[in-house]
Amino acid sequence: MKKKLTRRTLLKRTFGSFLTVLGLSSGGYLYANRIEPSLLDIKRQHIKHPLIPKSFNGINIIQFSDTHLGFQYNLDQFKKLVNKINNLKPDIILFTGDLMDEPNKFRDIHQLLPMLEKLHAPLGKFCIFGNHDHGGYGSDIYRNIMESTNFTVLLNESTSIKLKDGSSIYLLGIDDAMLGNPDLPLALKNVPDNHFKILLSHAPDLADDAAMYPIQWQISGHSHGGQVKIPFIGALIKPPFAKIYPEGLYSIGDDHQLTLYVNRGIGTTRLPFRFMSKPELTIFTLNSN
């Protein structure tokens, strides 16, 4: 009788394959377990589009994602990340999901709150739900944490970002695809077509659906960039809804009407390793084309 391949069995096999590729060396294990997860790659990306008002030229957006606090990533590391983000002086901060690995088991929320509150962006801080934010009955825990630290939670809804001259762009946020109920038409309700729109979706593969709507950009996380990549093989683990677009920049749609950017995230999950997939902080600069 053929045994059912469970998630745990798959992870054990993946872990075994990973160690085999590293040649079972203590140096390779140490690098993937201790060194690369602590490195931070700061990526810079321009967002150019004719619908962006000229008054938004030079506006900086910082995205961070997938911290998975409580697994391998701790609050001391998060505090340093907060300081680094603030030192970069963002105008807007975006968090694209998976704050804690297991929200209902995280015991240091009282220490986490002032760190999140310290994040500063004059045009606002915005976030969406990831699958781990819903997991373990964590939905209310996550929402309460983010709202109490001045983040706007976008759950199948939109918000406008306005400057003093009256010009504006729109942010849309949809629910997680694995454990939530994403609803793009609801998020687009009452949003004018002739305004520039950025969609926040934890799951990058929903970009194929987003390309059918008047949305110009999508910013996502979830994939961890594969977390462990092997030369000539690629990512060992691609989670559901991050199998098509695992990391980086993509043009999507028949006329390339949607641009997708997938951030590799900060922390790790499932396996406490990163290999050829450094943690990432992304800085987007808006430009009217």
Side-chain angles (χ1 to χ4, degrees):
M1 182 177 178
K2 187 176 181 180
K3 292 179 68 176
K4 184 179 179 181
L5 183 63
T6 64
R7 179 183 290 272
R8 179 172 293 182
T9 302
L10 178 61
L11 287 172
K12 284 182 178 178
R13 290 184 182 179
T14 301
F15 178 58
S17 300
F18 172 59
L19 291 181
T20 300
V21 171
L22 285 183
L24 299 175
S25 69
S26 59
Y29 180 97
L30 178 65
Y31 175 81
N33 180 248
R34 299 289 183 182
I35 298 176
E36 186 165 309
S38 67
L39 302 177
L40 183 63
D41 190 10
I42 298 179
K43 293 282 191 178
R44 295 183 181 269
Q45 182 68 52
H46 287 278
I47 296 180
K48 298 181 180 180
H49 198 276
L51 285 179
I52 297 175
K54 290 183 178 179
S55 53
F56 276 82
N57 281 348
I59 292 291
N60 284 321
I61 301 171
I62 286 187
Q63 176 203 12
F64 71 109
S65 192
D66 298 271
T67 47
H68 288 271
L69 283 158
F71 181 65
Q72 188 185 25
Y73 196 71
N74 60 47
L75 286 175
D76 288 338
Q77 292 169 300
F78 187 70
K79 184 178 181 179
K80 293 177 182 177
L81 178 71
V82 166
N83 290 335
K84 186 173 289 291
I85 291 173
N86 282 336
N87 287 338
L88 290 167
K89 300 188 183 305
D91 298 294
I92 299 166
I93 292 175
L94 307 177
F95 178 68
T96 44
D98 284 0
L99 179 67
M100 298 164 287
D101 203 61
E102 297 181 276
N104 62 333
K105 295 181 181 179
F106 191 75
R107 298 292 177 248
D108 296 317
I109 290 176
H110 63 289
Q111 296 180 51
L112 172 61
L113 292 176
M115 296 181 193
L116 284 167
E117 191 170 19
K118 186 181 177 182
L119 284 167
H120 177 70
L123 295 181
K125 305 188 295 187
F126 306 90
C127 66
I128 54 173
F129 278 87
N131 53 299
H132 282 258
D133 303 316
H134 281 309
Y137 304 98
S139 305
D140 290 339
I141 297 172
Y142 174 71
R143 179 183 279 277
N144 290 337
I145 287 172
M146 301 311 278
E147 288 184 342
S148 68
T149 55
N150 302 314
F151 275 82
T152 299
V153 180
L154 296 174
L155 185 62
N156 297 324
E157 55 194 307
S158 67
T159 187
S160 64
I161 298 177
K162 293 183 179 180
L163 298 185
K164 291 180 180 179
D165 67 350
S167 60
S168 62
I169 62 172
Y170 280 81
L171 280 182
L172 316 173
I174 55 173
D175 202 358
D176 172 66
M178 287 181 65
L179 299 181
N181 183 28
D183 191 329
L184 267 170
L186 182 59
L188 280 162
K189 189 176 181 181
N190 301 321
V191 178
D193 287 350
N194 62 342
H195 279 62
F196 182 75
K197 292 173 280 297
I198 298 174
L199 170 66
L200 307 182
S201 169
H202 184 65
D205 288 357
L206 294 191
D208 287 334
D209 294 329
M212 295 186 288
Y213 295 87
I215 298 169
Q216 289 75 43
W217 266 73
Q218 177 179 319
I219 295 176
S220 297
H222 183 51
S223 69
H224 295 251
Q227 196 165 294
V228 173
K229 292 188 291 187
I230 304 301
F232 310 111
I233 296 176
L236 289 184
I237 299 176
K238 291 183 181 179
F241 300 103
K243 295 182 182 296
I244 304 171
Y245 308 112
E247 70 170 297
L249 194 67
Y250 302 90
S251 294
I252 298 170
D254 293 337
D255 297 319
H256 304 293
Q257 63 267 31
L258 177 72
T259 302
L260 165 67
Y261 190 84
V262 186
N263 176 291
R264 294 192 300 267
I266 297 293
T268 60
T269 187
R270 306 288 183 195
L271 295 173
F273 301 100
R274 276 188 180 266
F275 188 71
M276 297 183 66
S277 186
K278 294 177 184 177
E280 177 183 344
L281 195 65
T282 314
I283 305 172
F284 301 95
T285 302
L286 297 179
N287 283 285
S288 177
N289 196 349

